Amino acid sequence: MKGYLTTAALVAVVAGLLVAGSVIALAQIARNLPKVKEFRIERAMPKEAVACIECHKREHPGIFGDWARSRHASANVTCYDCHKAESFDPDVSKEHYKQYERRDRPYGTKEYRVPVAGVVTPKDCSRCHPDEAKQYARSKHANTQQIIWQLDPWLKLGMNSDFERASGCYHCHGTVLKKMKDGKLDPETWPNVGVGRVNLDGSKGSCTSCHTRHRFSVMEARKPEACGQCHLGPDHPQIEIYMESKHGDIYTAHGDEYDWNTAPGTWTAGVDFRGPTCAGCHMSGAGTVLTSHDVTERLAWESQAPLTIRPEDFKPFPAKVNHEVEREKMKEVCKQCHGKTWVDDHFVKYDKVINEYNEVYFKPAKKMLDDLYAKGLLDKTKFFDEELEWEFYELWHHEGRRARMGAAMMAPDYSWWHGFYECKKRYNSFMEAARDLIKHKKKAYKYPDFPNATGNTTRPAEVFRKGK
Ligand code: HEC
Ligand code: HEC
Ligand code: HEC
Ligand code: HEC
Ligand code: HEC
Ligand code: HEC
Ligand code: HEC
Ligand code: HEC
């Protein structure tokens, strides 16, 4: 009955609109109507999918056990639903066909044979999670290969070796996956679950960066440790900053009472947790702000950059946002637990820190560096092969970031002792050495045996296709 009335009302509205000739308005109304969801859980599964589970249960109890405890298993999402491939897919595992020639094993026969891929990409997940995949695809996480190859002197000038990159940079940022002649994945690029992994199907990223397989749990991703594997250390110590903040203290004291496992999108500040985690501020929904897999949302500054700028002005990958809107979103998160004055005043202080770093430390140091290059006292062809280049780098890349991020995320020790205090020291020694070169018209000492400056300097073609 209810359905009948709704349909009748709809027909009336539609007819009315058509009479009015407003096709655009019609489209808008249609978009605002709830989607008709097709949703049913079928317990049955094809025999090929039974084979995966049964054989792998014996072969890899670790994989089976994780999957069996996941929400995927509850919803009857099987191994085959994620690892299914077409025989012509670039990432199909040719090796795996051999598993169907094992008469010694139940299910090890031809009748269960299907193509399988070892790599499961955001594109594969997007079949069932289109929104998360779409948001992720526009984030700096997904696009980090494009960003780092435009910016980074280690890569652009080949100042470290390919192996140093594989064991360091690409572990966090992601590899460009490659296949070898025999069809197997190139071990220099695999395994890898970096945030910006470039997959063979052209998609970017790896959802396992935060949701490790095969639990794929929201609980894990909501905890700060999920981010801390990459967000740590001297140049981006977010996990240390967090653990030092009051919010981190509260997590340490009360985290085991938080309800980490509430349904996606329902994790509620003040109800399920009393102090936010990284995800709580940067990703999870709060008030009118929706959950997002684009971590660039809610940011009003690029505080990792040498000169702090707005996200929309970040040249290598300009964010399609308005920083004022994003700032309001972040404030909305805070306001789940704090009053307006508390929140506004926090950001007044943070914005002043940004301004002070930019004007007092970065700009004069940068001007001095440019002067030295112009006068020929420093050599621009390479970076890091002269002492003052390291000093300048650490001023913005290490200490300057710590000062800014410590202030953003309420960690006074990072903002001052690891931050501005170190900036002052570095600034003074940098300026002193620079003035000395200028005074004596002396060229800087160059390290003649700079180790391992052997890395490939060609931008990956998979990322920088023609016209980009
Ligand atoms: C008869 C046993 C058997 C069956 C059936 C089977 N597998 Fe496997 N599979 C294995 C074994 C054993 C390995 C590990 C091979 C190795 O370690 O070299 C493996 C490896 C894999 C890998 C890793 C491949 C790679 O290239 O990294 C994936 C993914 C996988 N299986 C998924 C599946 C899926 C999905 C199914 C069902 C469509 C399935 N398997 C069916 C035994 C089986
Ligand atoms: C929700 C999707 C999903 C489901 C369901 C799933 N997998 Fe996976 N599997 C992945 C992802 C993602 C990876 C990690 C590879 C990557 O990062 O691309 C992976 C990796 C693997 C690997 C290689 C990892 C290793 O450590 O060697 C094997 C083997 C595998 N899966 C088997 C299975 C089996 C067996 C099942 C069912 C019991 C299963 N998978 C269910 C997504 C899935
Ligand atoms: C065949 C459809 C399907 C595919 C493919 C699929 N999922 Fe899911 N996923 C589901 C369903 C159904 C649920 C349960 C409903 C929910 O919690 O959102 C779910 C839940 C989840 C959750 C929430 C788990 C929790 O603890 O609440 C995460 C995270 C997730 N999936 C990640 C992934 C990732 C990453 C991939 C790709 C590697 C993937 N899914 C592939 C259907 C799928
Ligand atoms: C431990 C993980 C990790 C390693 C190793 C690592 N990075 Fe990063 N990198 C990060 C994180 C996290 C950020 C984000 C910093 C921020 O926003 O505060 C980042 C930021 C960057 C940026 C700035 C991007 C921007 O948007 O401005 C560049 C460039 C970069 N890394 C290049 C590299 C290179 C090149 C290497 C190796 C020589 C490397 N990274 C090693 C995790 C890592
Ligand atoms: C940077 C870490 C991170 C990465 C990478 C990531 N997720 Fe998530 N994901 C989260 C967090 C945090 C949540 C929990 C949000 C909340 O509190 O509800 C989540 C929640 C989810 C959920 C539950 C529904 C929802 O939106 O809350 C799904 C489904 C999901 N992720 C799928 C994916 C897929 C698919 C990918 C790859 C395209 C992916 N995730 C990559 C951190 C991540
Ligand atoms: C596997 C490594 C890895 C993990 C895990 C990871 N990140 Fe990142 N994150 C990065 C890298 C690398 C960058 C820098 C990307 C760039 O700018 O090129 C980054 C950048 C960011 C940024 C800055 C975005 C911007 O627009 O400047 C935020 C915010 C962020 N991550 C939050 C998170 C949160 C929250 C989590 C956990 C839920 C998380 N990350 C997990 C590697 C990681
Ligand atoms: C109380 C909320 C809160 C928590 C908790 C939090 N952050 Fe932040 N984060 C912020 C704010 C606010 C900023 C500055 C936003 C701006 O620049 O407008 C920020 C900035 C960042 C940036 C710098 C982004 C850029 O490009 O300038 C990264 C990266 C980041 N956070 C990652 C993390 C990680 C990882 C964790 C957990 C270890 C975490 N955050 C915990 C609120 C939080
Ligand atoms: C889930 C609730 C929650 C959220 C969300 C939250 N906070 Fe807090 N915050 C707290 C609690 C609880 C305290 C401890 C207050 C006290 O000292 O008694 C706190 C403390 C603080 C402090 C005091 C730090 C100190 O060391 O004195 C500041 C500043 C702060 N929060 C700012 C923010 C900002 C800015 C945001 C948003 C980016 C935010 N908070 C988001 C719960 C929250």
Side-chain angles (χ1 to χ4, degrees):
M1 184 65 177
K2 204 166 160 217
Y4 172 76
L5 279 179
T6 317
T7 314
L10 180 68
V11 169
V13 171
V14 168
L17 281 168
L18 281 177
V19 169
S22 176
V23 179
I24 297 167
L26 174 66
Q28 268 161 357
I29 286 195
R31 215 177 298 143
N32 288 335
L33 288 172
K35 271 189 271 183
V36 182
K37 285 189 194 164
E38 164 96 23
F39 205 81
R40 37 190 192 149
I41 309 285
E42 293 170 2
R43 270 350 292 183
M45 58 176 89
K47 66 179 189 309
E48 292 85 353
V50 175
C52 327
I53 299 169
E54 291 304 325
C55 184
H56 276 276
K57 194 169 158 180
R58 281 177 62 170
E59 295 283 349
H60 306 110
I63 289 176
F64 168 79
D66 267 354
W67 171 78
R69 282 178 190 80
S70 72
R71 288 199 175 149
H72 286 136
S74 299
N76 204 30
V77 177
T78 67
C79 325
Y80 192 40
D81 287 315
C82 288
H83 289 280
K84 184 176 186 316
E86 301 297 340
S87 54
F88 50 80
D89 281 351
D91 53 3
V92 74
S93 170
K94 297 226 167 75
E95 281 291 294
H96 197 268
Y97 288 128
K98 292 182 192 152
Q99 300 304 330
Y100 299 102
E101 291 160 19
R102 297 179 58 182
R103 296 185 169 279
D104 58 315
R105 285 260 182 268
Y107 302 102
T109 49
K110 287 212 293 299
E111 61 170 313
Y112 302 103
R113 187 179 189 271
V114 279
V116 159
V119 187
V120 181
T121 72
K123 197 171 167 189
D124 298 319
C125 312
S126 76
R127 196 153 64 85
C128 306
H129 302 297
D131 296 337
E132 288 80 6
K134 213 177 295 156
Q135 292 155 1
Y136 192 73
R138 62 170 186 256
S139 72
K140 274 173 87 177
H141 273 155
N143 294 284
T144 186
Q145 282 286 347
Q146 180 186 328
I147 296 168
I148 63 178
W149 275 97
Q150 292 180 74
L151 283 179
D152 195 89
W154 295 108
L155 305 177
K156 282 202 303 189
L157 304 172
M159 300 307 291
N160 54 4
S161 71
D162 291 332
F163 182 70
E164 284 166 348
R165 294 172 187 177
S167 59
C169 322
Y170 300 153
H171 201 100
C172 300
H173 287 266
T175 48
V176 177
L177 281 184
K178 295 215 163 68
K179 269 193 341 183
M180 297 185 304
K181 284 209 185 76
D182 61 5
K184 289 188 192 159
L185 289 162
D186 178 350
E188 284 197 18
T189 67
W190 180 260
N192 183 275
V193 298
V195 281
R197 190 178 78 195
V198 179
N199 301 300
L200 293 165
D201 63 10
S203 66
K204 291 178 189 164
S206 144
C207 305
T208 31
S209 303
C210 301
H211 307 283
T212 55
R213 54 100 186 144
H214 283 90
R215 283 287 182 103
F216 298 108
S217 125
V218 282
M219 179 235 253
E220 180 179 4
R222 285 168 176 164
K223 293 198 169 173
E225 289 81 2
C227 321
Q229 186 198 11
C230 302
H231 287 273
L232 82 174
D235 56 339
H236 30 69
Q238 283 94 14
I239 185 80
E240 294 93 334
I241 284 173
Y242 174 73
M243 293 312 287
E244 174 189 312
S245 74
K246 268 277 185 290
H247 298 133
D249 291 350
I250 294 172
Y251 163 72
T252 307
H254 297 272
D256 53 2
E257 297 158 15
Y258 291 4
D259 192 345
W260 296 100
N261 242 331
T262 61
T266 69
W267 203 41
T268 307
V271 177
D272 299 316
F273 56 96
R274 64 175 291 253
T277 62
C278 320
C281 285
H282 288 282
M283 297 184 70
S284 305
T288 55
V289 176
L290 299 177
T291 305
S292 177
H293 273 66
D294 177 1
V295 286
T296 304
E297 280 186 35
R298 307 182 193 176
L299 301 179
W301 292 109
E302 288 289 348
S303 61
Q304 86 293 338
L307 178 71
T308 324
I309 45 168
R310 299 299 186 180
E312 48 276 49
D313 301 330
F314 181 65
K315 286 215 186 75
F317 191 74
K320 294 185 186 68
V321 297
N322 172 320
H323 66 265
E324 284 167 16
V325 174
E326 301 308 322
R327 170 59 59 82
E328 286 311 312
K329 285 192 201 161
M330 185 64 95
K331 284 186 175 175
E332 172 80 5
V333 175
C334 317
K335 283 194 265 183
Q336 305 305 305
C337 306
H338 293 295
K340 185 170 182 306
T341 311
W342 180 288
V343 175
D344 286 349
D345 292 1
H346 168 77
F347 283 106
V348 168
K349 284 199 279 276
Y350 171 50
D351 291 348
K352 281 194 178 147
V353 161
I354 296 285
N355 189 53
E356 191 152 316
Y357 160 81
N358 273 357
E359 301 301 327
V360 179
Y361 297 90
F362 183 76
K363 282 186 183 169
K366 175 73 166 61
K367 184 167 177 301
M368 180 60 94
L369 185 82
D370 290 342
D371 254 18
L372 294 173
Y373 284 132
K375 291 187 161 73
L377 304 176
L378 273 185
D379 173 31
K380 213 172 183 169
T381 46
K382 282 188 184 167
F383 203 83
F384 299 120
D385 62 343
E386 290 157 312
E387 170 76 17
L388 283 183
E389 291 173 334
W390 286 94
E391 296 249 339
F392 176 74
Y393 183 73
E394 293 196 356
L395 175 69
W396 71 264
H397 190 266
H398 287 43
E399 291 123 19
R401 276 194 190 160
R402 297 195 299 244
R404 287 173 280 172
M405 306 231 180
M409 289 174 271
M410 306 103 201
D413 192 48
Y414 273 88
S415 197
W416 168 246
W417 290 117
H418 298 295
F420 281 127
Y421 168 85
E422 296 282 350
C423 284
K424 275 192 211 309
K425 234 175 119 185
R426 182 82 60 188
Y427 183 92
N428 287 332
S429 67
F430 172 85
M431 287 301 199
E432 184 193 345
R435 290 201 185 97
D436 193 59
L437 293 183
I438 293 173
K439 188 167 159 203
H440 299 103
K441 295 202 172 64
K442 193 172 94 188
K443 285 197 179 178
Y445 175 77
K446 259 206 229 178
Y447 307 134
D449 50 356
F450 193 95
N452 251 347
T454 56
N456 191 344
T457 55
T458 321
R459 291 171 168 197
E462 293 82 349
V463 182
F464 296 90
R465 297 220 176 76
K466 261 175 271 153
K468 261 201 173 173

